[in-house]
Amino acid sequence: MESDLAFGFHAVQSLLDHEPKAIEHIWLDVTRNDSRSATIQEQASQSGVRVQQVPKEKLAELAGKDARHQGVIARIRPVPSTSSPWTAGPV
């Protein structure tokens, strides 16, 4: 199972609002000291999600060269497959 990444403030904030248990880890740009970053840090802390502040270069490495991460990336926990060789499809 491979985990996915969510990029940008709207995507990460939506995950925190609706599915915080789905988030494994959040990386924030160390140079961002604005209200959106503070809100994400606070909400992640309340939800038990680990937040790590990293340089922009690390975010670019995680997201890929052309991704627009806006200074925040979340790693989403892998979802176990619900399909089985004994069923016709997802259960």
Side-chain angles (χ1 to χ4, degrees):
M1 280 186 290
E2 188 175 305
S3 56
D4 291 317
L5 299 176
F7 311 130
F9 280 95
H10 291 288
V12 174
Q13 187 64 60
S14 183
L15 281 167
L16 282 168
D17 289 342
H18 302 289
E19 290 291 335
K21 291 181 180 177
I23 303 172
E24 194 172 87
H25 192 101
I26 294 175
W27 293 275
L28 274 172
D29 182 345
V30 70
T31 64
R32 295 230 25 175
N33 293 316
D34 54 35
S35 62
R36 293 196 308 176
S37 294
T39 299
I40 284 182
Q41 284 184 313
E42 183 178 324
Q43 198 169 351
S45 177
Q46 292 171 354
S47 299
V49 177
R50 182 172 169 224
V51 177
Q52 184 179 4
Q53 292 188 316
V54 297
K56 289 178 186 179
E57 296 78 22
K58 178 65 175 175
L59 293 170
E61 177 186 322
L62 288 165
K65 181 180 167 185
D66 297 324
R68 299 197 62 180
H69 55 72
Q70 300 175 320
V72 61
I73 299 174
R75 180 181 304 280
I76 304 166
R77 293 182 192 283
V79 177
S81 174
T82 57
S83 56
S84 162
W86 299 282
T87 64
V91 182

